[in-house]
């Protein structure tokens, strides 16, 4: 890595601001478009969503995480919850179009190889790998082979797992890689942020 690891994101040295839309659209395309508009109004450089196929991601009996139960209740399990939040190919296309019109970069996190291929077909400028997939070597290899920049979250990983993920991505051809310090607790308690 270079001394300025995100120079490829923002050559002028200023912070590159990515608005996290994630699945906060609740499966509603109109709300997703509102999140794009909110990101633009806030001055963000990019807005990031999530791309996945719930059938490839989870077993039907997967329970929700504790933070998910606290915010959404226990009904539906994780599969049912994420199925309702999944964006279709057409919805991705419409969001990418609205981002282009609004002048903001569309980014999405692929959770499986098919989703990465879908995003590749749309010509996304980079991939964002979530910390929960940092040990998913097949996905890392698949994304790495696309030779696009990668932002890699590290919140759920040990240092050795981060090092392995970096080696896999670099070995696959990724030459522009940014590591994100993150805390996988939603919302993060300020005492756990550890920005130093």
């Amino acid at each position: 890595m270079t001394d300025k690891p995100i120079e490829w994101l923002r050559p002028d040295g200023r912070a590159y601001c990515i608005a996290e839309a994630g699945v906060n659209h609740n499966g509603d395309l109109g709300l997703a478009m509102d999140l794009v508009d909110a990101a633009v109004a806030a001055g963000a450089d990019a807005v990031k969503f999530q791309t996945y196929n719930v059938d490839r991601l989870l077993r039907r009996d997967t329970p929700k995480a504790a933070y998910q139960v606290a915010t959404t209740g226990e009904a539906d399990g994780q599969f049912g919850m994420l199925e309702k939040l999944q964006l279709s190919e057409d919805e991705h296309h419409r969001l990418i179009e609205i981002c282009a019109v609004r002048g903001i970069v569309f980014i999405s996190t692929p959770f499986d190889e098919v989703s990465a291929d879908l995003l590749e077909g749309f010509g996304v400028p980079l991939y964002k790998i979530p910390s929960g997939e940092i040990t998913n070597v097949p996905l890392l290899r698949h994304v790495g082979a696309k030779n696009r920049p990668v932002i890699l979250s590290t919140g759920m990983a040990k240092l050795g797992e981060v090092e392995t993920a970096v080696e896999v991505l670099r070995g696959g051809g990724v030459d522009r890689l940014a590591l994100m310090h993150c805390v996988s607790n939603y919302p993060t308690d300020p005492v756990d942020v550890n920005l130093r």
Side-chain angles (χ1 to χ4, degrees), residues 1 5-6 134 150-154 162 166 169 177-181:
M1 300 222 308
I6 61 165
I134 199 167
V150 172
I151 298 173
L152 179 67
S153 286
T154 63
V162 174
V166 168
L169 288 167
L177 176 63
L179 299 180
M180 290 183 69
H181 165 71

Side-chain angles (χ1 to χ4, degrees), residues 128 130-131 152-156 179-186 188 192-193:
K128 170 25 179 91
S131 58
L152 179 67
S153 286
T154 63
M156 297 178 71
L179 299 180
M180 290 183 69
H181 165 71
C182 62
V183 180
S184 295
N185 187 15
Y186 308 99
T188 300
D192 295 326
V193 170

Side-chain angles (χ1 to χ4, degrees), residues 124-181:
V124 295
L126 62 89
Y127 291 95
K128 170 25 179 91
I129 303 295
S131 58
E133 299 301 321
I134 199 167
T135 59
N136 185 342
V137 172
L139 177 62
L140 297 176
R141 282 193 184 121
H142 191 79
V143 168
K146 296 184 181 303
N147 294 314
R148 291 198 187 268
V150 172
I151 298 173
L152 179 67
S153 286
T154 63
M156 297 178 71
K158 297 177 183 173
L159 185 57
E161 293 169 332
V162 174
E163 291 169 343
T164 298
V166 168
E167 288 174 15
V168 170
L169 288 167
R170 290 268 191 231
V174 173
D175 61 354
R176 291 169 291 171
L177 176 63
L179 299 180
M180 290 183 69
H181 165 71

Side-chain angles (χ1 to χ4, degrees), residues 35 46 64 87 108 120 123 129 139 157 195:
L35 291 172
K64 290 180 181 178
L87 294 170
S108 192
E120 183 71 15
I129 303 295
L139 177 62
L195 285 180

Side-chain angles (χ1 to χ4, degrees), residues 73-148:
E74 293 189 26
D76 297 327
Q78 196 168 101
F79 186 97
M81 177 188 71
L82 291 181
E83 187 174 40
K84 293 174 186 171
L85 304 176
Q86 182 174 282
L87 294 170
S88 70
E89 183 173 344
D90 181 61
E91 288 169 326
H92 277 82
H93 182 72
R94 292 179 66 190
L95 285 171
I96 290 167
E97 285 181 337
I98 197 76
C99 285
V101 168
R102 301 286 195 270
I104 191 167
V105 175
F106 173 91
I107 299 173
S108 192
T109 298
F111 283 79
D112 57 80
E113 291 89 339
V114 172
S115 295
D117 292 344
L118 174 70
L119 294 171
E120 183 71 15
F122 286 126
V124 295
L126 62 89
Y127 291 95
K128 170 25 179 91
I129 303 295
S131 58
E133 299 301 321
I134 199 167
T135 59
N136 185 342
V137 172
L139 177 62
L140 297 176
R141 282 193 184 121
H142 191 79
V143 168
K146 296 184 181 303
N147 294 314
R148 291 198 187 268

